Amino acid sequence: VPHDEDLTEAAEAGISAAPPAGARLGAWGILAVTEASVAVAGWALVACGLPWQLLLTSYAVTNG
Amino acid sequence: MAATFAPFGALVALRRPRLAVGWLFCGFALCYGLSAACISLAMWQATAGGPNHWSSTLGWLGVFIWTPAIAVFFPLIVLLFPDGHLPGRRWRWLAGLALANGVVWLLGGAFDPDAVSGMPFVTYRTVAVSGAWGRLAHTADYVGNILVESVGLACLAVLMWRWQRSTGSQRAQLSWLAVGATIAVGLFAPAAVGVGTVWSAALLVGVPVLPAAAAVAVLRHRLLGIDVVINRTLVYVGLSATLLACFLAVVELASVIAGHNVGLGGSLAGAAVVAVAFSPVRQFLQRRVDTLIFGYRRDPSQALSQVTAQLLSDTDDEVEASLRAVSNSLRLPGLALVSGGRRIGPPVSGDGTETVIPLRYRSEAVGQLMVKPRRGQAALDASDLAALELVDAPIAAAVYALRLTEQLQRAQEQERRRLHRDLHDGLGPY
């Protein structure tokens, strides 16, 4: 259970326990799209059948 | 980049939705994620059915869609960290330049006829621009490429300037970012310049350190001291490097013994060695790093023996020497002693809270130890106090002995003067 002082400091710092619906949707949406892109990239790279040594240093892997 | 920046960005955006930094991290990750997906799908399409219109379009998108990440989002993260505000109105031009350069570089990268020249899976021109417009796009791509480095360096310089002027919690937040950035760059730089494949992949572990440090700095309103961060970082970087070296050595050794690539068996043997070695290696590294940063705090008997050695040595100022021994053995530069109105030791300076430890000998107060915490530490913790409690007893005894010696010398001097007065009847010179 957080101490009252912790809650006060958190409020002062602007840390929100329940973010607005728009922010929640936006953050989860960006996270989902980004991670889905990374998953698609990983699948596509494996499906390429190229040597993994070559793939490891590709832009697709570092960007992902 | 995308896989690690996105969770930390989303976490900050969810917890502090009004703070721009979290959203900038999200944008940074999204650009890189889309770019990775486009390039990978283009490669897959090209290898599965040969380069075609789809692979060309995806490859074309992939080569420029990531540019806002480092042209816009990265400079703004650096400029707006940690409170979401610029360090001053004078830096608005830099933020504006980053935005303008982001647009120029994005358009230049999208329409530059040479941008996709090195990509075998791009065989069709999705957007064909030639002539004067093509040259203009090529120039924009070139200028954007050059300018992004200058803007990035300028933003880092502003961050350093901000750190230098900051105090209190903002300084702690910026210190977290600085440590995270240093580790990330230190681990990732060899991969960026192109070393071996396995090694460069292993070094990618450095990338998540930066967003992780930024997220912790923003979300933890009661920051741990930066000394704790450095301590943990040194331990876990050393641990990761040692265990990775063990793993690779075992796999290589197994391959040499077997005479061929042992594959899964070698990896399992390496993993077993890593599992067995993990705990002892971690404890060993933790002890070494603790000694490096905190001295013999975890083993105060070592500090005590150094203090005792100074007290037993044939020196005239044994109290001052023993204070130096405590200071060196516990890595506490701000340590001084006040006794009988006299001060022994260097001036106590620093940002942290000063701790006053009373020195007592046989229930008699003989002085006070004034101790400032180490640089970056807010206050001494329980381990420090326990170690100081152990070493302050011989120091108190030494101070008491010194006080007795001085009292004895004063009494002897008074007695000598009394005898002198008696013998000379107060007539002669002393």
Side-chain angles (χ1 to χ4, degrees):
Chain A
V1 177
H3 193 270
D4 284 350
E5 195 182 334
D6 289 341
L7 292 175
T8 310
E9 284 194 21
E12 282 171 2
I15 294 177
S16 166
R24 206 163 51 231
L25 185 68
W28 281 113
I30 291 173
L31 180 63
V33 171
T34 307
E35 297 300 337
S37 300
V38 174
V40 166
W43 170 82
L45 288 171
V46 171
C48 278
L50 293 173
W52 62 272
Q53 290 93 337
L54 190 69
L55 293 177
L56 277 178
T57 50
S58 72
Y59 277 119
V61 169
T62 48
N63 286 8
Chain B
M1 298 277 191
T4 55
F5 275 68
F8 291 111
L11 181 68
V12 174
L14 282 169
R15 298 292 305 278
R16 297 193 62 180
R18 290 177 187 279
L19 190 68
V21 172
W23 297 108
L24 292 171
F25 268 117
C26 287
F28 183 95
L30 185 62
C31 290
Y32 270 117
L34 292 176
S35 169
C38 288
I39 294 176
S40 307
L41 286 172
M43 288 168 73
W44 170 72
Q45 178 67 38
T47 50
N52 59 12
H53 185 74
W54 279 109
S55 72
S56 299
T57 304
L58 288 167
W60 170 71
L61 281 170
V63 295
F64 73 87
I65 208 169
W66 61 275
T67 54
I70 58 166
V72 178
F73 294 118
F74 176 74
L76 290 184
I77 288 169
V78 174
L79 280 179
L80 298 177
F81 191 86
D83 57 2
H85 300 290
L86 291 170
R89 291 174 66 86
R90 73 173 85 166
W91 303 113
R92 286 168 69 174
W93 68 270
L94 193 54
L97 182 61
L99 282 169
N101 186 47
V103 174
V104 168
W105 201 24
L106 183 76
L107 293 174
F111 299 115
D112 180 5
D114 298 335
V116 289
S117 57
M119 298 199 158
F121 41 82
V122 178
T123 53
Y124 296 85
R125 296 301 311 181
T126 308
V127 178
V129 176
S130 56
W133 285 107
R135 285 195 298 277
L136 183 65
H138 181 74
T139 307
D141 193 18
Y142 180 76
V143 170
N145 212 342
I146 297 291
L147 209 54
V148 72
E149 294 172 14
S150 314
V151 171
L153 287 173
C155 291
L156 288 172
V158 172
L159 183 72
M160 291 300 293
W161 176 79
R162 187 176 202 163
W163 177 79
Q164 212 169 18
R165 292 165 57 95
S166 63
T167 55
S169 63
Q170 192 177 78
R171 192 180 180 91
Q173 287 176 310
L174 290 168
S175 299
W176 270 76
L177 186 72
V179 170
T182 306
I183 295 166
V185 170
L187 286 176
F188 189 66
V193 297
V195 287
T197 50
V198 179
W199 183 234
S200 71
L203 292 173
L204 287 176
V205 296
V207 172
V209 178
L210 178 61
V216 171
V218 169
L219 295 178
R220 272 197 69 101
H221 47 284
R222 273 187 184 164
L223 282 173
L224 299 171
I226 199 70
D227 56 311
V228 179
V229 182
I230 294 169
N231 184 310
R232 297 288 182 268
T233 303
L234 287 174
V235 169
Y236 285 102
V237 167
L239 185 64
S240 305
T242 308
L243 295 181
L244 183 65
C246 284
F247 178 82
L248 293 176
V250 170
V251 173
E252 188 65 31
L253 188 66
S255 299
V256 169
I257 292 170
H260 58 86
N261 193 346
V262 291
L264 183 63
S267 300
L268 287 175
V273 169
V274 166
V276 170
F278 180 84
S279 183
V281 171
R282 194 192 70 80
Q283 285 174 6
F284 171 78
L285 285 172
Q286 187 69 66
R287 274 199 305 274
R288 304 291 297 186
V289 171
D290 276 352
T291 307
L292 184 73
I293 296 176
F294 302 117
Y296 296 111
R297 188 173 77 169
R298 283 177 182 267
D299 185 13
S301 62
Q302 293 277 353
L304 184 63
S305 68
Q306 291 191 14
V307 172
T308 310
Q310 290 299 327
L311 291 174
L312 294 174
S313 66
D314 191 18
T315 176
D316 290 337
D317 51 355
E318 63 272 7
V319 173
E320 195 171 342
S322 61
L323 277 181
R324 274 201 302 273
V326 174
S327 179
N328 292 335
S329 58
L330 295 178
R331 303 279 192 275
L332 290 168
L335 179 78
L337 177 115
V338 176
S339 175
R342 276 191 308 164
R343 183 186 183 88
I344 304 171
V348 178
S349 60
D351 292 333
T353 309
E354 185 180 76
T355 303
V356 178
I357 300 171
L359 291 177
R360 304 187 77 81
Y361 184 76
R362 290 182 178 173
S363 71
E364 183 182 335
V366 295
Q368 290 175 324
L369 272 181
M370 322 288 281
V371 193
K372 276 277 190 183
R374 302 167 190 87
R375 192 179 175 83
Q377 228 181 344
L380 296 180
D381 65 13
S383 308
D384 291 316
L385 293 174
L388 284 167
E389 195 177 340
L390 191 66
V391 298
D392 72 5
I395 294 176
V399 172
Y400 186 75
L402 184 66
R403 185 182 285 186
L404 283 182
T405 306
E406 287 170 353
Q407 283 176 359
L408 184 63
Q409 284 172 344
R410 275 199 300 273
Q412 281 177 332
E413 181 63 18
Q414 284 172 357
E415 183 63 12
R416 191 184 69 77
R417 292 184 180 210
R418 192 185 65 77
L419 286 171
H420 197 273
R421 260 199 314 272
D422 289 348
L423 287 172
H424 295 278
D425 204 16
L427 294 173
Y430 289 126

